[in-house]
């Protein structure tokens, strides 16, 4: 009897993990892993500043799914079968212990992403997975030739039943001209257009891909001059006309193009679709001192005014803000750096309090968070069986990782969804 033929397209985290899970569950299966570039696991190498944020120390599936702007509901059941603690155990069993940092992010104790890369490469080699790098796929066809395509969601269940009796095979056409045949196919192509092309040709719906996890451009040269100044925490509020207001709280970093930091990245994830639709034009409200009410900020400033009336406002702030940021904020309400506290009017004082607690900044574009670039959008989740990660339209076609319309906030959540979906797909593909 011919062994089960498995092809995995995409040599990233999801592709490797799915291939390894499949080969481990069925040692007799022949697993081929195709990667278009010469170097697999490229995103793993650069993630977390070269340290690789493998997962997050959140071990309750119900709490874990709250970190996914898209896909949380679908992942609820999946995380009950493979979640962060399982990821930690898997890597520990393969000689790579992970450590937890104060904010819950988990990294290899080596603080090197190369440790994760070598772990996955070694596991694939031990499982006799055939890794082919520099091997772009140009198309996939389904055998037999009676293909089903362009079904609406209402037909998915009936189609799944109909297809279950068929022996499905695929032909994978490589750029080199070679053709591979397989019984089961896993697409782990991330945001690569070839993955979207293949699934659309099979009749799947693609939610339009747009960037997630990005920084905000703010065209204020005086703010940009503060590049390197950080605050933790701040409260951010994102406003787009005719859309619900979004909020996040956490660290913020001022950069030479605007603002970045975890609070900004989380806000960009939740607002990815809204911001894309509005061409990245929005209003950002910053509360620089969220642990104080606006009235408490006022009381502190009044106390400083009363005690230091003869002192220059620029040099005696009385509240916990970096000196350069304080000077920037007083300039925004037209307070001259030479002015003394005794000279400030109640109206100007009110404006300063408001500027600290709810200053408004115009976002006029997005930057790129290169370490953890993530895409919002992908294969419509209603067309995927999340118990097995199999297509509801095409039998023996599976998905894992970022090709799905799933994305998480920064902190290891995107890798976790990749490990989980890949593991479940690998187990399902291994079944005879």
């Amino acid at each position: 009897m011919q062994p089960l033929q498995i092809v995995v397209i995409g040599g990233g985290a999801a592709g490797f993990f799915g291939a390894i899970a499949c080969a481990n569950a069925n040692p007799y299966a022949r697993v081929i892993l195709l990667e278009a570039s010469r170097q697999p696991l490229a995103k793993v190498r650069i993630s977390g500043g070269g340290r690789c944020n493998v997962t997050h120390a959140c071990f309750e599936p119900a709490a874990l799914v709250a970190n996914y702007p898209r896909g949380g509901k679908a992942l609820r059941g999946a995380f009950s079968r493979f979640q962060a603690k399982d990821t930690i155990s898997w890597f520990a069993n393969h000689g790579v212990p992970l450590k937890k940092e104060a904010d819950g992010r988990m990294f290899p104790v080596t603080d090197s992403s190369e440790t994760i890369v070598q772990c996955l490469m070694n596991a694939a080699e031990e499982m006799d997975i055939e890794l082919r790098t520099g091997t772009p796929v140009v198309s996939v066809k389904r055998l037999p030739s009676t293909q089903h395509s362009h079904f609406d969601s209402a037909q998915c269940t009936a189609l799944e039943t109909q297809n279950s009796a068929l022996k499905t095979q695929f032909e994978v056409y490589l750029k080199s001209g070679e053709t591979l045949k397989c019984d089961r196919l896993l697409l782990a192509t991330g945001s690569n257009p070839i993955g979207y092309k293949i699934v659309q040709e099979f009749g799947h719906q693609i939610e339009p891909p747009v960037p997630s996890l990005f920084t905000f451009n703010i065209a204020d040269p005086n703010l940009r001059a503060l590049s390197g100044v950080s605050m933790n925490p701040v409260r951010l509020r994102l406003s787009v006309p005719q859309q619900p207001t979004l909020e996040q709280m956490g660290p913020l970093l001022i950069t030479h193009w605007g603002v970045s930091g975890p609070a900004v990245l989380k806000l960009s994830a939740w607002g990815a679709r809204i911001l894309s639709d509005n061409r990245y034009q929005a209003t950002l409200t910053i509360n620089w001192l969220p642990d104080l009410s606006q009235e408490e900020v006022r009381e502190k400033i009044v106390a400083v005014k009363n005690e230091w009336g003869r002192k220059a406002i620029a040099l005696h702030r009385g509240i916990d803000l970096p000196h350069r940021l304080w000077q920037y904020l007083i300039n925004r309400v037209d307070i001259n750096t030479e002015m003394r506290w005794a000279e400030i009017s109640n109206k100007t004082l009110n404006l300063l309090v408001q500027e600290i607690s709810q200053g408004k900044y115009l976002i006029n574009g997005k930057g790129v968070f290169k370490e953890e670039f993530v895409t919002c959008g992908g294969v419509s989740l209603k067309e995927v069986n999340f118990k097995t990660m199999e297509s509801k339209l095409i039998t023996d076609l599976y998905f894992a990782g970022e090709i799905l319309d799933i994305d998480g906030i920064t902190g290891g959540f995107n890798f976790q969804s990749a490990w989980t979906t890949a593991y479940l797909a690998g187990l399902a593909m291994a079944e005879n």
Side-chain angles (χ1 to χ4, degrees):
M1 182 178 175
Q2 186 180 6
L4 198 62
Q5 305 289 311
I6 307 289
V7 168
V8 178
I9 304 177
F16 264 82
F17 212 64
I20 292 165
C22 181
N24 183 61
N26 186 344
Y28 300 104
R30 182 192 180 205
V31 182
I32 300 176
L33 177 56
L34 305 176
E35 167 56 31
S37 70
R38 291 290 177 187
Q39 187 178 65
L41 298 164
K43 198 167 179 180
V44 173
R45 282 187 166 88
I46 65 171
S47 71
R51 298 167 62 214
C52 190
N53 185 184
V54 177
T55 187
H56 199 95
C58 180
F59 307 127
E60 292 295 332
L64 190 55
V65 298
N67 296 285
Y68 294 86
R70 284 148 293 273
K73 183 178 179 181
L75 285 170
R76 178 63 177 84
F79 282 150
S80 69
R81 294 185 287 279
F82 192 93
Q83 53 127 308
K85 67 180 179 182
D86 301 303
T87 300
I88 296 165
S89 296
W90 190 93
F91 279 101
N93 291 338
H94 287 78
V96 182
L98 304 182
K99 63 176 180 177
K100 183 179 80 169
E101 300 205 335
D103 59 3
R105 293 180 302 160
M106 299 202 69
F107 296 86
V109 294
T110 59
D111 276 330
S112 172
S113 60
E114 197 61 32
T115 307
I116 303 299
V117 170
Q118 287 305 314
C119 175
L120 294 171
M121 295 280 283
N122 292 342
E125 185 177 357
E126 289 169 9
M127 296 291 173
D128 291 324
I129 292 167
E130 184 180 343
L131 172 61
R132 296 196 191 181
T133 59
T135 309
V137 172
V138 292
S139 65
V140 176
K141 288 186 180 178
R142 181 172 175 244
L143 302 174
S145 59
T146 53
Q147 297 187 40
H148 307 276
S149 62
H150 303 292
F151 294 95
D152 60 39
S153 58
Q155 294 171 290
C156 286
T157 303
L159 179 60
E160 188 178 18
T161 303
Q162 176 185 342
N163 279 350
S164 62
L166 297 175
K167 175 65 173 176
T168 304
Q169 284 195 327
F170 300 92
E171 284 186 335
V172 180
Y173 296 88
L174 308 181
K175 188 176 181 180
S176 65
E178 183 183 358
T179 301
L180 301 176
K181 287 188 178 182
C182 62
D183 302 301
R184 289 167 189 167
L185 178 68
L186 172 60
L187 292 178
T189 49
S191 56
N192 191 309
I194 186 61
Y196 300 145
K197 174 179 176 286
I198 291 168
V199 296
Q200 284 179 310
E201 288 174 351
F202 282 143
H204 271 282
Q205 177 184 339
I206 297 292
E207 301 298 335
V210 300
S212 182
L213 291 185
F214 49 84
T215 58
F216 296 159
N217 292 351
I218 297 175
D220 180 348
N222 293 325
L223 177 68
R224 294 177 175 186
L226 302 181
S227 179
V229 172
S230 62
M231 282 292 291
N232 184 21
V234 300
R235 179 177 288 113
L236 303 180
R237 194 162 68 241
L238 185 70
S239 304
V240 174
Q242 283 82 55
Q243 296 291 343
T245 299
L246 301 174
E247 289 194 12
Q248 283 293 329
M249 188 164 163
L252 176 142
L253 172 67
I254 300 173
T255 69
H256 62 269
W257 62 84
V259 290
S260 183
V264 170
L265 295 171
K266 290 177 183 179
L267 199 57
S268 78
W270 288 101
R273 186 72 64 190
I274 293 172
L275 284 164
S276 174
D277 291 345
N278 210 53
R279 299 184 179 182
Y280 303 99
Q281 308 293 308
T283 300
L284 181 69
T285 302
I286 303 179
N287 183 344
W288 296 100
L289 295 173
D291 293 335
L292 299 176
S293 69
Q294 193 161 326
E295 187 53 40
E296 287 171 328
V297 172
R298 162 183 280 280
E299 288 172 1
K300 283 183 173 290
I301 288 180
V302 168
V304 175
K305 178 183 178 182
N306 291 338
E307 184 175 354
W308 301 98
R310 293 188 175 186
K311 301 291 186 180
I313 297 173
L315 300 177
H316 294 79
R317 53 192 181 276
I319 52 177
D320 191 17
L321 289 171
H323 177 66
R324 290 168 62 203
L325 177 59
W326 170 254
Q327 291 194 320
Y328 168 75
L329 294 175
I330 65 174
N331 284 334
R332 272 176 69 93
V333 294
D334 294 325
I335 295 176
N336 188 292
T337 54
E338 304 299 321
M339 283 183 67
R340 303 184 185 280
W341 276 108
E343 299 170 345
I344 189 173
S345 67
N346 286 336
K347 179 181 178 181
T348 302
L349 189 146
N350 290 338
L351 290 174
L352 180 57
V353 171
Q354 186 168 339
E355 189 62 45
I356 294 168
S357 299
Q358 47 184 336
K360 297 191 182 303
Y361 301 81
L362 295 179
I363 298 170
N364 66 341
K366 65 173 180 62
V368 176
F369 184 52
K370 295 180 181 178
E371 291 180 357
E372 202 167 338
F373 181 78
V374 171
T375 299
C376 152
V379 176
S380 175
L381 304 187
K382 65 177 182 281
E383 299 172 350
V384 180
N385 178 351
F386 268 75
K387 290 183 179 179
T388 61
M389 303 314 302
E390 186 178 18
S391 164
K392 291 182 179 179
L393 277 64
I394 304 294
T395 305
D396 294 329
L397 175 65
Y398 297 81
F399 305 105
E402 201 181 337
I403 189 174
L404 295 157
D405 185 23
I406 295 174
D407 62 286
I409 61 175
T410 184
F413 300 104
N414 287 294
F415 271 133
Q416 184 55 55
S417 64
W419 309 132
T420 294
T421 54
Y423 183 81
L424 297 179
L427 291 189
M429 289 192 301
E431 293 183 2
N432 286 314

